[in-house]
Amino acid sequence: MSALDRLRALASGRYTGEGINHESEPFRGLLQLRYLLGEAGLGIAFTATGIGGEVYHEEESLLAPGPEGSLVLSSINSNDPVLRTYPLRREGPEGGSQHTYVFGIGDPADQEAYRCEVALDLFESGDLGYRYAWGLPGGEFAERSGIRLRREVHER
């Protein structure tokens, strides 16, 4: 199954959970996943809110095939002043997930440049993981924030 097919199989909707940010502060996360143009792509809206109500991170992202057909994640968020496009770098199970997709820019070992990886984890339970690893110029590359989210189920 292709990466996009596996991601399309996710149910659109709201996912919530608790995570830890790059300053080791707990936050509540809301990830809204929606199909775009039928199922041509997936939209991700993500917000991380601190326990006191402060917004740590807001993001709007798009997952879709790029010009060469491989999957890309394009994202704009409150912690990075520019639109970034992250090609799919690797995939496979990581950290207990059934499948993980890692999108990235820059060489993680290059301490002279900004580099970033965004990971989307799919768990057998239906939970999602959303993780960021990054390094600023002159700094170490490391996982900085992460969350595990569960799909909200609304009874009718």
Side-chain angles (χ1 to χ4, degrees):
M1 178 183 287
S2 77
L4 188 55
D5 288 339
R6 188 172 276 118
L7 291 166
R8 283 181 184 135
L10 295 172
S12 65
R14 293 167 51 101
Y15 292 77
T16 57
E18 295 183 2
I20 300 293
N21 74 6
H22 66 283
E23 295 181 353
S24 298
E25 298 167 316
F27 66 85
R28 291 185 185 101
L30 169 63
L31 186 144
Q32 297 178 77
L33 184 65
R34 65 195 178 283
Y35 300 119
L36 300 174
L37 300 174
E39 292 185 8
L42 293 170
I44 297 172
F46 179 70
T47 304
T49 305
I51 304 307
E54 58 281 11
V55 175
Y56 293 146
H57 180 87
E58 288 183 291
E59 171 182 336
E60 289 285 339
S61 294
L62 167 68
L63 275 166
E68 288 81 38
S70 59
L71 195 60
V72 296
L73 173 74
S74 292
S75 179
I76 190 162
N77 67 69
S78 59
N79 295 320
D80 193 353
V82 299
L83 176 69
R84 302 272 183 189
T85 298
Y86 304 91
L88 181 61
R89 184 170 272 179
R90 65 183 182 278
E91 61 179 288
E94 288 185 15
S97 74
Q98 187 174 30
H99 213 89
T100 294
Y101 298 95
V102 179
F103 303 85
I105 56 171
D107 177 355
D110 182 2
Q111 290 194 352
E112 300 302 314
Y114 173 73
R115 55 263 192 237
C116 183
E117 289 185 341
V118 182
L120 181 60
D121 304 304
L122 310 179
F123 293 93
E124 190 171 345
S125 65
D127 290 358
L128 298 177
Y130 204 48
R131 300 178 287 120
Y132 270 84
W134 48 266
L136 297 175
E140 293 295 318
F141 180 85
E143 189 164 315
R144 306 290 180 172
S145 64
I147 186 168
R148 185 162 173 168
L149 305 122
R150 178 159 298 184
R151 186 167 191 265
E152 290 184 351
V153 177
H154 297 286
E155 296 188 24
R156 294 180 186 220

